[in-house]
Amino acid sequence: MSFGIQVNGRPFDTEPRAGQCLRTYLRERGWFGVKKGCDAGDCGACTVHVDGEPVHSCLYPAVRAEGRAVTTVEGLASPDGELHPVQRRFLDAQGYQCGFCTAGFLMTTAALEAERGTPHDDGKLDDLPRAFKGNICRCTGYRAIEDAVRGVAHVERPCAGRAVGRNVGAPAGPRVVTGTARYTFDVEVPGLLHMKLLRSPHPHARILAIDTADALRVPGVVAVLTHEDAPAVLYSSARHEHPTEDPDDTRVLDDVVRYVGQRVAAVVADSEGAAEEGCRRIAVTYEELPYVTDPEEAMRPGAPVVHAGKGPEARIARVEANVAGEAHGEIGSVEDGFAEADAVYEETFRTQRVQHASLETHGCVAYFEPKEDGTGERLTVRSSTQTPFLTRRALCALYGLPEDEVRVVAGRVGGGFGGKQEMLTEDVVALAALKLRRPVKLEYTRAEQFYGATTRHPFTIAVKAGTRSDGTLTAVRMRVVADTGAYGNHGPAVMFHSVGESFAVYRAPHKKVDAYSVYTNVVPAGAFRGYGLGQVTFAVESVMDELARRIGMDPLVFREKNVIGPGEGMHSPIGEEEDLHIASYGLDQCLSVVRAAIAEDRGAEEEVPEGWLVGQGTGLAMIATGPPGGHYADARVSLREDGTYDIAVGTAEFGNGTTTVHQQITAGALHTTEDRTTVRQSDTDVVRHDTGAFASAGTVVAGKAVLLAATSLAERLRTLAARHTGTARHLCVLGAESVDCAGRTVPLKELYEAGHALGAAEELAADGHWGGTPRSVAFNAQWFRIAVDPGSGEIRVLRSVHAADAGKVMNPMQCRGQVEGGVAQALGATLFETVRTGERGEVTTAAFRRYRLPQYADVPRTEVHFTETSDAIGPLGAKSMSESPFNPVAPAFANALRDATGIRFTELPLTRDRVWRALHRHTGGSDRQGAHL
């Protein structure tokens, strides 16, 4: 058979393999702009044009493209490199964050625009929910994508001396829109082997024997690794600066499996197909063990013990009770507080498992490269990780390697949301690479993301609270149970965090908490945006609304009366964190934004169908701007030979915008423009250490290290310029490309040369370090007006308003994108996202079409308002704003639903069928004390 295909104007004649899809055919030929997001036609990240028609290339057989012209995002620009109009608009609007989905949106938009005015034009571009029904974005909240399609520009051009506070575009933007940004697997590695994992079919079992003989006979299979090949070392897959924060309860490959989907063996082969066949040929003999899937049952005497036999070195709070971690404490006496109350409300709230659903799945490539000193080879791991330095540390500890023997580097990361603050693939891939001394790759499928990665922790929160008739809180008591699943990665830390700021944001003389992080034989939970606060905030904010209703007070007034104020201490029953301060206070401004939204009462302007119920509700949240115990960042800023600046900083970029902010901070300190700076990052070869891109630390920790380095370099350059010209130092003023020394202009290139000539080369670079403490707090408030159809349970968002206290906003465009994306993700968790499990704990929603992510049609346009504050701790007055927008969304929505229906919903998600059943049971909705569901 002869085969011919044109890809971006270039001919290819290699025949596709039997059954090969167009996506893999294109990527194997270097067109890495075509992304793998789902392999099921659900996300659109692989969209290409075939003879001008957009197709999902993961579903399109490569053989069908024979004789056709295929265009990928790399071929969208003109041959001379001029951007396609759609690429230019996405760049000017910054219609992306991590950018993994961007090629799909670009290709879909470009195809529809090409149809405009033709017989094929069906008006989809005038109906974007319909146009983008086959494309998913997990980061942006879709508003920026709409702006890009409509030609709304936000990016400002560089301006010397005015960097911070402007809408500077992300430096990777041109690469993102042209498909040349390199994510984890967008590299060619010669001699690459592929790994596939055999996973457990049982929720709890001991492996008695593994027969790998048939697997090793499969052509192309190189090795099969089992627990006998793995180190007998316990560790945690969670990544924290201090490893002792997490239980050491995990092995690379274990002889006991504790959930359906746990890895049992790893097959390494010269193709994915051979590795998959090898997995099918492995024969495993199991001894099935009792299992438990409910955390309350797991704590009862006689329940199956998930981690039986583990000793105190594992740092599990109570092994026999399946308690990974627990916290107990009381301020005052809650019983006295309830006795003083005129109204008391008590209820139990539940939140569900949620998947991070980052479009780039977990995975890594490990290979060997020569050491710089020529003394041999070292292991390099290229990974989709938020924590390259902590992952290197863990690999070195696991395999007994010195740090100079291992390099970990993250390319551009395609979304994270906390899920990649975890070592889920690097350990087993490194094991294979070290044994075989060959390059090895493991890339999770979308299904594996659901049953082999981690989820948000499901919580059960029992709350009792009391208030006086004047609205003064008297007591709050909570019992919190978090289901950490089969392993304790992040479990205790999430549990501790969940009852911190959620409690401390309200004053009450009497507070009590009992909190438990509990093992079950279910897929493990891990770090997720909000880190436990969102779950407990859902309960606390719902309770505040109910208390206000019981004493006849406006819920907003009730909150204003009881929230902590500027300069007050933050008191939680589990103890105060001495380094945590209210270094700036914007909560009052956040609540004023909500009050103004309520006063405007735009409900009359909306077309609400007759008979629909309308309500409005508010939620607020406070969050620490960084984790306790230290979060470290080192940065170096250098003057280069060409007169531009180099920024070396370890934190990873996955759409959080920190790269842009680091450029802005540097440009401001050095009085230059952002385009005269470049960033090297997320590579353990770049700087000494960086804890990682989590806990919203990219601006307030890594950014502060960059500021210290850039400020120090500015002083050094002025000193050097004074020495070079014989001018008084205070008369030397840095500019965009030169230094003005009392009227004499010294180009930065000349200053670089002078530094070397004078033997002052060390003055051409400066280091900055920040340890993440002391810490401040950020505030957020969300308000919704909604309409509910009592006949069907359908809910429409009439208006969404979010107020954010981010301190000095470094980049309003990008910060607004973080807020909009956080609100959209939280709405998904509020309304429909849920990882469902069966009786044996097995995940039953292992695909996007079964899981239900928010799509364009599901997400309202949220109005974002920033307060005017400047933080005394954060760099240049900034505070964090990546995680916090998520937390108040669910309670604000639930409170609006309560206002509309008279029913207090206590369990997430608020699905349409759940709402309909509640309305059906409680018709009329006139019970002002509220029904419950």
Side-chain angles (χ1 to χ4, degrees):
M1 165 184 174
S2 62
F3 183 83
I5 181 176
Q6 291 277 334
V7 182
N8 298 328
R10 290 174 52 188
F12 292 86
D13 59 8
T14 304
E15 292 185 14
R17 298 187 299 275
Q20 185 175 27
C21 71
L22 183 58
R23 180 188 66 79
T24 60
Y25 184 89
L26 293 170
R27 286 186 60 84
E28 287 174 3
R29 276 139 198 88
W31 304 110
F32 294 125
V34 185
K35 301 303 183 196
K36 171 187 173 180
C38 65
D39 272 340
D42 295 331
C43 75
C46 67
T47 303
V48 301
H49 296 171
V50 178
D51 287 343
E53 292 293 320
V55 302
H56 288 180
S57 61
C58 69
L59 297 181
Y60 194 95
V63 69
R64 284 187 56 193
E66 198 277 328
R68 299 177 183 271
V70 175
T71 304
T72 73
V73 68
E74 292 98 331
L76 206 55
S78 66
D80 62 1
E82 183 178 350
L83 293 182
H84 187 282
V86 173
Q87 290 173 310
R88 171 53 58 189
R89 293 203 304 272
F90 267 76
L91 192 59
D92 289 343
Q94 191 146 332
Y96 53 86
Q97 283 184 24
C98 84
F100 202 79
C101 70
T102 303
F105 279 94
L106 284 165
M107 300 306 287
T108 300
T109 305
L112 294 176
E113 287 201 350
E115 292 179 353
R116 274 198 159 166
T118 73
H120 300 289
D121 184 5
D122 62 358
K124 280 186 180 177
L125 277 179
D126 298 320
D127 183 5
L128 292 185
R130 185 163 66 104
F132 292 140
K133 66 181 181 180
N135 294 85
I136 291 173
C137 176
R138 187 56 157 167
C139 297
T140 67
Y142 297 103
R143 189 272 316 158
I145 293 171
E146 178 183 354
D147 286 353
V149 174
R150 304 299 186 209
V152 180
H154 298 294
V155 173
E156 300 178 59
R157 303 306 171 202
C159 180
R162 293 182 60 244
V164 170
R166 301 178 69 245
N167 294 329
V168 177
R175 298 192 299 276
V176 168
V177 301
T178 56
T180 55
R182 290 293 175 249
Y183 295 80
T184 307
F185 298 112
D186 297 343
V187 292
E188 295 184 27
V189 181
L192 185 65
L193 297 174
H194 300 267
M195 176 182 286
K196 287 293 181 180
L197 299 173
L198 176 68
R199 295 182 178 276
S200 169
H202 304 296
H204 199 189
R206 181 173 288 106
I207 297 172
L208 301 179
I210 301 181
D211 186 347
T212 63
D214 281 351
L216 289 167
R217 282 192 282 268
V218 173
V221 169
V222 175
V224 179
L225 304 176
T226 71
H227 64 271
E228 294 180 350
D229 302 289
V233 177
L234 291 175
Y235 62 98
S236 172
S237 65
R239 299 292 93 227
H240 281 113
E241 179 62 40
H242 305 290
T244 53
E245 292 184 26
D246 311 298
D248 284 340
D249 56 11
T250 303
R251 279 188 65 190
V252 177
L253 293 165
D254 207 334
D255 60 349
V256 175
V257 292
R258 296 176 174 86
Y259 67 98
V260 175
Q262 180 170 331
R263 58 197 188 194
V264 171
V267 178
V268 185
D270 59 14
S271 70
E272 290 190 6
E276 288 172 349
E277 180 60 26
C279 287
R280 287 189 283 269
R281 300 274 188 97
I282 297 173
V284 184
T285 303
Y286 295 97
E287 175 193 357
E288 293 190 50
L289 302 173
Y291 62 91
V292 60
T293 60
D294 179 85
E296 292 287 359
E297 290 181 11
M299 287 190 288
R300 292 180 184 136
V305 179
V306 178
H307 286 277
K310 286 192 170 70
E313 68 280 1
R315 295 189 303 280
I316 298 171
R318 287 188 285 138
V319 172
E320 298 306 311
N322 291 315
V323 175
E326 59 188 321
H328 307 277
E330 186 170 12
I331 298 171
S333 167
V334 290
E335 294 307 319
D336 290 347
F338 294 137
E340 298 168 8
D342 296 309
V344 174
Y345 177 72
E346 186 171 8
E347 188 54 81
T348 299
F349 297 83
R350 293 178 174 83
T351 66
Q352 80 281 31
R353 286 181 181 83
V354 177
Q355 232 291 319
H356 303 81
S358 52
L359 287 195
E360 181 189 41
T361 60
H362 282 79
C364 69
V365 183
Y367 52 92
F368 291 89
E369 59 182 1
K371 289 183 180 179
E372 291 183 358
D373 60 7
T375 59
E377 291 184 320
R378 65 170 173 175
L379 179 68
T380 293
V381 180
R382 181 179 173 91
S383 174
S384 183
T385 178
Q386 296 173 227
T387 58
F389 286 84
L390 301 187
T391 299
R392 179 182 66 173
R393 178 192 289 170
L395 291 175
C396 289
L398 191 55
Y399 296 111
L401 300 171
E403 288 196 349
D404 64 354
E405 295 280 342
V406 179
R407 175 191 181 196
V408 176
V409 57
R412 190 171 177 89
V413 177
F417 318 114
K420 293 174 182 176
Q421 189 194 341
E422 206 88 46
M423 186 171 70
L424 297 179
T425 60
E426 300 91 340
D427 51 355
V428 69
V429 171
L431 173 67
L434 289 167
K435 283 186 174 292
L436 300 173
R437 308 299 295 185
R438 291 183 61 183
V440 180
K441 168 189 173 182
L442 171 60
E443 182 178 11
Y444 273 15
T445 64
R446 179 53 56 187
E448 284 181 298
Q449 282 295 111
F450 282 97
Y451 55 69
T454 61
T455 72
R456 191 184 190 210
H457 285 78
F459 267 63
T460 301
I461 312 108
V463 188
K464 183 176 181 180
T467 179
R468 294 192 180 96
S469 58
D470 66 355
T472 303
L473 277 173
T474 61
V476 182
R477 183 184 70 198
M478 282 200 292
R479 181 180 183 274
V480 173
V481 177
D483 184 350
T484 196
Y487 291 91
N489 46 304
H490 295 283
V494 165
M495 179 267 299
F496 274 107
H497 191 234
S498 73
V499 293
E501 296 96 281
S502 61
F503 245 130
V505 71
Y506 286 104
R507 297 188 219 96
H510 309 286
K511 296 179 179 178
K512 183 179 181 180
V513 66
D514 293 290
Y516 307 87
S517 179
V518 184
Y519 287 116
T520 58
N521 294 111
V522 186
V523 59
F528 191 104
R529 201 172 198 166
Y531 213 66
L533 275 183
Q535 293 95 313
V536 176
T537 298
F538 167 61
V540 170
E541 289 298 292
S542 297
V543 167
M544 294 302 134
D545 248 44
E546 288 299 331
L547 284 176
R549 290 177 182 277
R550 275 156 174 70
I551 61 172
M553 181 177 284
D554 182 322
L556 190 58
V557 173
F558 185 82
R559 287 178 170 83
E560 290 171 332
K561 185 177 180 64
N562 288 289
V563 293
I564 59 173
E568 292 188 37
M570 290 168 282
H571 304 293
S572 169
I574 61 171
E576 297 182 37
E577 298 176 64
E578 293 182 358
D579 72 333
L580 191 60
H581 310 280
I582 302 177
S584 62
Y585 187 81
L587 182 54
D588 54 348
Q589 295 181 53
C590 290
L591 295 178
S592 293
V593 168
V594 171
R595 185 171 297 286
I598 295 171
E600 288 171 10
D601 192 18
R602 292 184 182 173
E605 300 175 14
E606 303 290 343
E607 291 187 8
V608 179
E610 185 178 352
W612 284 46
L613 308 172
V614 177
Q616 57 90 16
T618 303
L620 64 82
M622 177 176 73
I623 189 170
T625 59
H631 190 114
Y632 305 128
D634 291 281
R636 167 165 281 212
V637 180
S638 310
L639 177 65
R640 299 193 298 191
E641 186 175 5
D642 63 357
T644 62
Y645 295 99
D646 175 78
I647 308 164
V649 61
T651 191
E653 173 65 60
F654 51 100
N656 45 0
T658 53
T659 308
T660 317
V661 169
H662 295 162
Q663 283 191 307
Q664 290 179 273
I665 289 172
T666 301
L670 292 164
H671 302 280
T672 187
T673 54
E674 304 81 30
D675 58 352
R676 294 186 60 79
T677 69
T678 56
V679 180
R680 293 181 296 124
Q681 62 193 146
S682 42
D683 183 339
T684 57
D685 273 7
V686 170
V687 291
R688 293 188 303 276
H689 182 74
D690 187 281
T691 297
F694 63 90
S696 304
T699 294
V700 297
V701 179
K704 191 146 185 176
V706 169
L707 175 63
L708 293 170
T711 302
S712 178
L713 178 60
E715 294 303 311
R716 290 188 176 195
L717 294 181
R718 278 191 280 267
T719 299
L720 179 59
R723 181 181 174 188
H724 174 58
T725 62
T727 306
R729 184 180 177 283
H730 72 276
L731 296 177
C732 297
V733 180
L734 284 171
E737 301 180 37
S738 60
V739 186
D740 185 326
C741 298
R744 176 182 170 183
T745 300
V746 180
L748 290 173
K749 289 191 285 187
E750 178 183 330
L751 191 62
Y752 179 91
E753 294 167 358
H756 282 270
L758 292 168
E762 70 277 2
E763 297 181 10
L764 302 176
D767 295 316
H769 170 81
W770 184 244
T773 183
R775 300 172 295 148
S776 185
V777 291
F779 299 97
N780 295 74
Q782 173 72 39
W783 177 80
F784 286 110
R785 182 183 295 281
I786 66 170
V788 185
D789 178 12
S792 67
E794 178 185 348
I795 305 174
R796 294 182 188 173
V797 177
L798 305 179
R799 193 177 176 202
S800 172
V801 176
H802 192 99
D805 172 24
K808 172 64 177 177
V809 179
M810 301 283 99
N811 188 309
M813 170 184 64
Q814 290 191 350
C815 194
R816 183 182 64 185
Q818 287 288 293
V819 173
E820 291 168 339
V823 172
Q825 192 174 50
L827 272 173
T830 300
L831 293 177
F832 35 75
E833 288 186 52
T834 182
V835 176
R836 299 190 184 279
T837 56
E839 291 182 1
R840 303 169 75 245
E842 73 277 14
V843 173
T844 61
T845 49
F848 279 160
R849 64 187 58 191
R850 301 189 69 185
Y851 178 69
R852 181 76 165 88
L853 282 174
Q855 293 184 270
Y856 187 99
D858 300 311
V859 180
R861 199 176 179 101
T862 293
E863 305 165 33
V864 178
H865 301 263
F866 294 116
T867 65
E868 295 183 5
T869 58
S870 181
D871 199 68
I873 295 174
L876 304 175
K879 294 201 276 196
S880 60
M881 198 44 58
S882 291
E883 295 185 84
S884 59
F886 190 102
N887 297 329
V889 171
F893 201 98
N895 289 337
L897 189 57
R898 162 70 163 96
D899 189 50
T901 65
I903 301 171
R904 169 56 62 189
F905 288 82
T906 60
E907 184 173 352
L908 296 179
L910 303 172
T911 56
R912 180 172 173 172
D913 59 328
R914 182 171 288 164
V915 171
W916 179 84
R917 286 196 300 270
L919 286 166
H920 187 69
R921 286 199 295 266
H922 304 284
T923 54
S926 59
D927 175 12
R928 302 326 299 161
Q929 295 304 305
H932 300 274
L933 182 72

